[in-house]
Amino acid sequence: MNLRFLCANHRQWLMSDTLRAEQAWLDWSECGASLCEEANYAEAIPYLGCAFELANFLLDARWPGYSIASMRFCDSARQLMDAYRRRGEENQCNYILVGASSRLARELNDRQNYQITADCIRALYLGDFAPAPQLRLVGRAGGTSLH
């Protein structure tokens, strides 16, 4: 996908360490979600966009495991799409939908992860995503992560 929210320096710095990228993903996802709760979508989009870009990196790295990384990617895409939709920017929303589903479709050839990938693609198009309870985990620093 060609969506770029991170500057080159931050991208390189964050993507050189999966733990650092995961923490930034968590922080930016939470910040973007809080701004959306306040109906401040214009300010939320950059945070959600950076989180989405990091979720793509973490999916490539399969960090901290494929099922968690794919669900985070799907959830990040869904949050970003929702923020754009609420701003009335349907074209951006559709662009993210096509790009994210295309990104996930490349993973469908992995038989071991086929079902989780198919579920994530379906969730993108249906607009709902409820991860299985067993996939929730406690973050590395002792706090609870989103997934």
Side-chain angles (χ1 to χ4, degrees), residues 14-142:
L14 288 166
M15 293 182 185
S16 67
D17 181 342
T18 53
L19 290 175
R20 185 172 28 226
E22 181 181 35
Q23 186 60 53
W25 171 83
L26 179 61
D27 293 343
W28 289 335
S29 293
E30 289 177 354
C31 185
S34 293
L35 289 165
C36 283
E37 287 176 11
E38 298 167 4
N40 196 344
Y41 307 110
E43 285 189 40
I45 287 171
Y47 288 101
L48 296 173
C50 288
F52 176 66
E53 194 171 337
L54 287 175
N56 185 49
F57 163 71
L58 293 168
L59 180 59
D60 283 342
R62 295 180 180 260
W63 180 263
Y66 181 78
S67 54
I68 293 170
S70 61
M71 289 179 6
R72 286 176 172 177
F73 177 79
C74 181
D75 194 45
S76 292
R78 194 181 49 74
Q79 287 179 322
L80 183 57
M81 288 167 33
D82 188 52
Y84 274 122
R85 184 178 295 115
R86 291 179 183 270
R87 281 207 63 199
E89 297 183 46
E90 285 295 322
N91 287 341
Q92 284 294 96
C93 177
N94 291 334
Y95 183 73
I96 293 162
L97 175 61
V98 170
S101 60
S102 175
R103 167 65 184 89
L104 286 167
R106 292 193 310 259
E107 302 289 340
L108 288 171
N109 62 352
D110 180 354
R111 295 268 185 229
Q112 183 178 0
N113 296 312
Y114 179 87
Q115 191 59 56
I116 187 77
T117 303
D119 289 345
C120 286
I121 293 170
R122 186 176 311 108
L124 284 174
Y125 282 93
L126 296 178
D128 63 324
F129 191 67
Q134 70 271 18
L135 295 176
R136 296 201 180 273
L137 64 113
V138 175
R140 308 252 183 275

